[in-house]
Amino acid sequence: MAIHSMLSVVWPSLAAMDGVRWTCFLGFWLLNMAVVWRGVESIRHLQAFGAPFMFLMAAALLIWVRMKAGSFGAMLSTPSQFHSTGQFSTSFCPR
C-alpha cells in the first residue's frame, strides 16, 4: 500500500490502472525475498546507499522549508498551529 500510495502521488494515471496495486505488492514481496535469499548481510549494501541519500534528502527538505518560510528566523519563530496534544497526534496517527 505504501508503494502504491507513493506511486499515486508521483504518477497518478499509472496508479489508477487495474492491477497496479497487485504489482506493487509483488514488487515489495520480491524485494523481501531477495533479502531472505541473500541473507541479512545484503541490507548493509542498502545502508551504504541509504545513509547518504537520507542526508541529501534532509538537506533538500531544509532548503525547501527555508524557501517557503522566507528565512530561518521566520521559520523558527512561527508559533505552532496545534493547540493541544490531541490535534498534534491526529496529524500523525489518523483514525
Side-chain angles (χ1 to χ4, degrees):
M1 289 300 296
I3 295 171
H4 185 263
S5 296
M6 289 186 288
L7 187 63
S8 66
V9 169
V10 176
W11 202 349
S13 61
L14 179 67
M17 293 173 61
D18 292 335
V20 173
R21 188 171 290 173
W22 274 106
T23 304
C24 291
F25 170 75
L26 291 175
F28 179 75
W29 183 80
L30 287 173
L31 286 171
N32 281 310
M33 291 310 299
V35 170
V36 169
W37 287 323
R38 290 184 163 181
V40 179
E41 294 295 321
S42 64
I43 295 175
R44 288 191 186 185
H45 299 292
L46 182 61
Q47 287 177 333
F49 169 75
F53 179 75
M54 287 175 48
F55 177 75
L56 290 173
M57 290 297 104
L61 183 61
L62 179 64
I63 291 168
W64 176 77
V65 167
R66 199 267 182 210
M67 289 173 55
K68 288 291 245 185
S71 70
F72 284 117
M75 182 172 65
L76 297 173
S77 65
T78 302
S80 175
Q81 295 179 359
F82 302 110
H83 301 293
S84 70
T85 305
Q87 286 180 334
F88 176 78
S89 298
T90 56
S91 296
F92 292 98
C93 302
R95 296 173 193 202

